[in-house]
Amino acid sequence: YVLLADLAAEDGGDKTTQWIIYDIPHSVDELREEISGGGSSDVGRLGFKEDTGQQPVVVDPMEQMMNGMGYGGYEDPEMAHMRSMISNVVDSSFDPDMRAKEGANSFGTMEYKGPMNGGQVTFRLYALKGRLSLPPGARREEVQAAMKGKVLGKATLNAKVS
């Protein structure tokens, strides 16, 4: 998915891009208010479970006992293999190419820049048949060019801001 948010000024001035998000995973069904802005962003976590990012803990009581008895550095080979398997699965799910990304808005930042004064904000959500695979910070023109031939559907929401 791609989300573009634009503000048309009340005085008829130029339209500004307030927010761009692309490569949104299909499993995402909401955007929380705190997801972007103020210089920080959780857009890259869209589509991930809330506990994602926590490295799994595999505890071996024998390791703890051996290390506690002064045999520091002991690691059971089976436990080491299990940790490796779990880490590989977790690491592959954190592939940055599979995450949502924010593009550069009209102000040159990668965050939601809500309207300061009145106007009409238009949110456009595009369903795509594939990822755009652009790097983070892509400009609107780059996002729109990469969308060509991939759009399956579009929804628009207009909101008047006063």
Side-chain angles (χ1 to χ4, degrees):
Y1 292 97
V2 170
L3 177 70
L4 301 175
D6 300 309
L7 175 68
E10 283 185 326
D11 61 7
D14 291 338
K15 173 177 73 172
T16 57
T17 299
Q18 304 290 303
W19 202 17
I20 301 173
I21 308 178
Y22 47 96
D23 288 344
I24 301 170
H26 63 85
S27 59
V28 173
D29 60 5
E30 70 174 325
L31 295 176
R32 296 180 317 277
E33 180 180 352
E34 70 276 5
I35 200 161
S36 182
S40 65
S41 173
D42 271 343
V43 167
R45 292 182 58 83
L46 283 174
F48 287 83
K49 293 181 180 172
E50 289 303 315
D51 61 347
T52 301
Q54 308 273 332
Q55 186 72 355
V57 176
V58 180
V59 177
D60 180 7
M62 181 60 96
E63 267 181 39
Q64 291 179 336
M65 184 179 78
M66 295 291 282
N67 288 332
M69 292 172 40
Y71 297 101
Y74 172 80
E75 185 173 33
D76 183 302
E78 288 181 19
M79 295 303 288
H81 180 68
M82 185 183 304
R83 283 189 188 99
S84 173
M85 287 186 339
I86 291 172
S87 287
N88 289 340
V89 168
V90 170
D91 290 346
S92 68
S93 72
F94 284 94
D95 181 355
D97 291 336
M98 300 305 293
R99 293 180 162 209
K101 301 168 191 82
E102 283 183 285
N105 58 29
S106 292
F107 311 97
T109 61
M110 294 189 310
E111 64 180 341
Y112 176 66
K113 202 74 160 165
M116 302 301 259
N117 299 315
Q120 179 172 298
V121 179
T122 301
F123 294 91
R124 290 180 184 84
L125 181 65
Y126 298 88
L128 306 178
K129 60 177 176 185
R131 300 179 61 77
L132 300 183
S133 299
L134 293 169
R139 294 184 333 272
R140 181 189 185 97
E141 299 77 26
E142 295 170 311
V143 171
Q144 289 176 315
M147 288 170 52
K148 287 197 189 292
K150 293 185 178 185
V151 177
L152 298 173
K154 172 182 160 185
T156 303
L157 171 69
N158 293 310
K160 182 151 179 69
V161 179
S162 50

